[in-house]
Amino acid sequence: MSGTGNNRSPLLVARNIKKVFGSGDGEVEVLKGIDLDLRPGELTLLMGPSGSGKTTLLSILGCILGQTSGELEIAGHPTKGLSPDQLAKLRCEHVGFVFQSYNLFPTLTALENVMLTLDVQGGYVPDAEGIAAGALDAVGLSHRANAYPSKLSGGEKQRVAMARALAGSPSVMLADEPTAALDASNGQAVMALLAEVSKDPTRAVLAVTHDHRILKFADRIIKIDDGIIASDDNTHVEHGAPPVAGSAGSSAAAGNPL
Amino acid sequence: MAVDATGAAAKQGKNGKGKRVRMAPKLAYRNLFHDKMSLTVTLIGIVFSVVLVAVQCGLFLGAQRSIARVIDQTNADIWIVPLGTKSFDDPSLLDGREKYAALAMPGVKSVEQINIGFSRWRKPNGGSTTVLLVGSNWITGGLRPWNIIEGSVDAITAPKGVAVDKSYFKDLGITALGDSAEINGMTVTVKAVSTGVRSFTTLPFVFTTLGRSQRMLGSKTKESAYTLVTLKPGADIEEVKQNIATRFADAEVLTTAEFRSRSINYWMFQTGAGAGLIAGAILGVIVGIVIVAQTLYASTKDHLNEFATLRALGASSGYIIQVILLQALVSAFIGYLLGISLSLLVVSAAKGTTLNVVMTPELALMLFGLTIGMCMLAAISAIFKVIRIDPASVFSR
């Protein structure tokens, strides 16, 4: 684990996370002992070549895939020994997801997609529609509230997905390649929004990406390679500059496009 | 920035009290109506099943009513029947002593006789057919012919008078009230015509007086097939039944309900006639379950990514099961409404034909419960599919 210069208590703590798929001769160790803290007010980018274990790590950090060993704590709640439904509750209360393919519900409008998060959380929510409308307004899509996903552009869909994640007021927001399906300008807009979201002092944001154009939005860049953290850089990254100059395993420095 | 305010608002909302957001029913409804072809197939399956079960059960009920039709028209509390009688239309003879013995019993108000027997009906224009002749003295409280639409019951007491049902005119070779024929060589004239008085065996009922039936059937004047006992108010039916039963070794003493039940059981279960109807109803339910299960499963597979997303968003298994069950419930409700409407049309179309299909409020209610249960059962395969979803699959799409 690396320090980041941010002295706030971490919202996500991962210790010695290992993940093994298969068994016997077919056994593959995808993660080989990951230590990671995510602190509030930070946008962290997780980068690495294909097959390096980024998505597996993201799935484990989001409590939707169990680790083979190691410990994970989200917003002060240890995940060890929790049942699938207890993990779902933890996700529901503390984790927000933004997916590469948006994963919006095609039969629900943008507003209803956002309201769904509040329903899944259960409990009694006064003015749920107002909260959902506020989340859409926050991502600049209040005028598209009644549009179905099929009528939205890629950038709009991703912003609805962000509004959906935000409506649940998660402590940790995890984004899987949020700009991969977007053109340059939409990608920039989505990342700018994600960076703004991460400024909330009660929230940490982690985004998996291959996209070098968005490095300027990051407060911190973690590179993962072959199941281990190759580098963890929290210095200000200038647009277009190599993220981790001279660090071990820096494929970017070696000209690898990631 | 508004982004932060949103989170705060949501947090505040979760801690407060207010109206619960209900998206599961909306999601279920929208998923269902999103794929109209799939919904149509599901509804066809349910409607087919409801109509099939309704018709089979309607025929079953209709058959029961036909079997017990004459029994239900009497006011008797107790039936004295020849030993071993299987059903109402399985006639043999009592020697007549039962009538007077029963009249002497405490608690007995009145005793009447009904005579029945198979007879040869010779058609006016040649040819013959078998009929079930029923004789009783309704003037003294016996079985009174009912549903008379032409002529009158009193006219049957005139010489040679009989009553037949209009639906049997063709079988009997007659065309109108007043036509004559022969029963066992004796001339009879149709003095009354009824409607809807059909037997389960399809043999035409021919009603006449007790004395005339005895002559036509060649039985003695005291003899009859059944002796019907009516009790005084407050009399103990079991006690009277036992008292009569101890007197006659060659007769059985049954309450009206017992004789009704025996007649129905004989025809529906011992002859196998009802088994076919029951098998048809079961087949209808199975076909319904299979079709609904198949389409619900296919629909669930189509929306698997959405269910995985729901799981990733933190939805509990219960929430996802709720969505699927609601889909099944909505399908069941719509399918039932269509199915029962079509069934009522079938019942209506069958009126006045030889097909006796009956629909009662109880049967309609039972069909509703059956449809709901069938669709819930059909949802099981879809539920098994969904609860095994790996939420991590949302990252691989």
Side-chain angles (χ1 to χ4, degrees), chain A residues 88-103:
Chain A
K89 190 167 186 292
L90 188 66
R91 278 200 299 278
C92 199
E93 291 173 349
H94 297 291
V95 184
F97 287 103
V98 177
F99 306 103
Q100 180 180 340
S101 312
Y102 326 121
N103 290 54

Side-chain angles (χ1 to χ4, degrees), chain B residues 113-130:
Chain B
Q113 289 173 302
I114 289 184
N115 200 26
I116 67 165
F118 298 109
S119 308
R120 176 170 291 273
W121 172 283
R122 189 168 174 77
K123 301 175 189 178
N125 295 322
S128 62
T129 187
T130 303

Side-chain angles (χ1 to χ4, degrees), chain B residues 121 131-133 145-150 156 161-170 172-179 181 183 188-198 204-208:
Chain B
W121 172 283
V131 298
L132 193 62
L133 187 65
W146 66 102
N147 284 4
I148 301 299
I149 53 168
E150 289 178 52
I156 306 170
V162 294
V164 296
D165 196 78
K166 196 174 183 70
S167 63
Y168 288 122
F169 271 19
K170 194 177 174 187
L172 298 173
I174 56 175
T175 55
L177 183 77
D179 282 1
I183 293 179
V188 293
T189 304
V190 177
K191 296 285 188 180
V193 176
S194 64
T195 183
V197 182
R198 293 184 63 83
F205 282 128
V206 175
F207 292 92
T208 190

Side-chain angles (χ1 to χ4, degrees), chain A residues 47-242:
Chain A
M47 307 184 80
S50 294
S52 59
K54 300 186 300 295
T55 301
T56 301
L57 180 59
L58 193 74
S59 303
I60 290 171
L61 299 182
C63 299
I64 57 177
L65 181 67
Q67 64 269 35
T68 305
S69 64
E71 293 187 5
L72 176 66
E73 202 177 285
I74 295 173
H77 301 280
T79 62
K80 199 171 183 179
L82 296 184
S83 68
D85 269 353
Q86 286 171 322
L87 286 170
K89 190 167 186 292
L90 188 66
R91 278 200 299 278
C92 199
E93 291 173 349
H94 297 291
V95 184
F97 287 103
V98 177
F99 306 103
Q100 180 180 340
S101 312
Y102 326 121
N103 290 54
L104 298 178
F105 291 77
T107 58
L108 300 179
T109 64
L111 184 71
E112 290 164 345
N113 264 283
V114 179
M115 286 171 72
L116 188 63
T117 303
L118 298 171
D119 188 33
V120 164
Q121 284 185 336
Y124 290 89
V125 182
D127 193 22
E129 197 172 327
I131 293 171
L136 278 178
D137 190 39
V139 298
L141 277 182
S142 53
H143 63 294
R144 302 290 276 152
N146 294 319
Y148 285 91
S150 60
K151 302 291 179 193
L152 298 173
S153 69
E156 286 175 327
K157 284 180 193 169
Q158 198 58 295
R159 282 192 280 160
V160 172
M162 287 181 66
R164 179 174 67 184
L166 280 172
S169 74
S171 308
V172 178
M173 232 170 119
L174 302 175
D176 180 37
E177 304 273 11
T179 61
L182 304 177
D183 58 33
S185 65
N186 272 315
Q188 296 284 317
V190 164
M191 281 314 295
L193 201 57
L194 213 51
E196 196 149 3
V197 166
S198 71
K199 284 178 186 159
D200 184 336
T202 65
R203 182 177 297 134
V205 180
L206 175 72
V208 166
T209 186
H210 278 104
D211 191 350
H212 275 262
R213 297 169 301 182
I214 62 172
L215 299 184
K216 63 180 177 184
F217 296 101
D219 297 306
R220 178 182 174 197
I221 297 172
I222 295 173
K223 284 191 64 193
I224 184 170
D225 196 3
D226 197 23
I228 56 166
I229 290 182
S231 67
D232 185 349
D233 177 52
N234 65 329
T235 58
H236 176 70
V237 181
E238 293 295 338
H239 178 58

Side-chain angles (χ1 to χ4, degrees), chain B residues 23 52 108:
Chain B
M23 294 301 293
L52 188 56
V108 172

Side-chain angles (χ1 to χ4, degrees), chain B residues 37-279:
Chain B
M37 183 54 77
S38 175
L39 177 64
T40 304
V41 172
T42 304
L43 291 180
I44 287 172
I46 298 171
V47 169
F48 174 79
S49 181
V50 170
V51 172
L52 188 56
V53 176
V55 169
Q56 296 293 327
C57 291
L59 283 170
F60 192 87
L61 280 180
Q64 284 192 340
R65 286 190 182 185
S66 295
I67 292 164
R69 183 156 280 144
V70 178
I71 300 172
D72 290 341
Q73 284 300 317
T74 67
N75 296 317
D77 297 304
I78 291 171
W79 286 65
I80 304 173
V81 306
L83 189 66
T85 300
K86 297 187 185 91
S87 71
F88 173 80
D89 45 11
D90 171 35
S92 54
L93 288 172
L94 295 169
D95 60 21
R97 289 181 299 122
E98 302 80 9
K99 177 176 179 180
Y100 302 102
L103 271 172
M105 296 281 174
V108 172
K109 181 183 170 191
S110 64
V111 180
E112 292 297 331
Q113 289 173 302
I114 289 184
N115 200 26
I116 67 165
F118 298 109
S119 308
R120 176 170 291 273
W121 172 283
R122 189 168 174 77
K123 301 175 189 178
N125 295 322
S128 62
T129 187
T130 303
V131 298
L132 193 62
L133 187 65
V134 182
S136 181
N137 283 335
W138 55 88
I139 294 168
T140 56
L143 174 70
R144 182 183 175 86
W146 66 102
N147 284 4
I148 301 299
I149 53 168
E150 289 178 52
S152 70
V153 176
D154 292 340
I156 306 170
T157 57
K160 304 173 187 175
V162 294
V164 296
D165 196 78
K166 196 174 183 70
S167 63
Y168 288 122
F169 271 19
K170 194 177 174 187
D171 294 339
L172 298 173
I174 56 175
T175 55
L177 183 77
D179 282 1
S180 292
E182 280 182 20
I183 293 179
N184 289 349
M186 298 172 72
T187 303
V188 293
T189 304
V190 177
K191 296 285 188 180
V193 176
S194 64
T195 183
V197 182
R198 293 184 63 83
S199 69
F200 176 68
T201 58
T202 74
L203 280 184
F205 282 128
V206 175
F207 292 92
T208 190
T209 61
L210 179 65
R212 198 170 295 143
S213 73
Q214 286 167 331
R215 284 194 296 280
M216 288 175 176
L217 293 169
S219 52
K220 295 173 186 168
T221 50
K222 286 183 182 176
E223 286 177 337
S224 69
Y226 305 114
T227 300
L228 280 62
V229 179
T230 306
L231 301 183
K232 289 177 182 168
D236 185 336
I237 192 165
E238 282 303 317
E239 191 181 329
V240 176
K241 203 179 112 178
Q242 288 302 321
N243 286 341
I244 298 172
T246 53
R247 297 280 304 274
F248 303 103
D250 293 336
E252 287 181 83
V253 185
L254 305 169
T255 63
T256 300
E258 286 168 345
F259 189 44
R260 187 179 196 277
S261 174
R262 178 183 287 193
S263 297
I264 289 170
N265 284 342
Y266 170 72
W267 281 111
M268 299 310 286
F269 302 108
Q270 290 181 39
T271 65
L277 296 173
I278 293 168

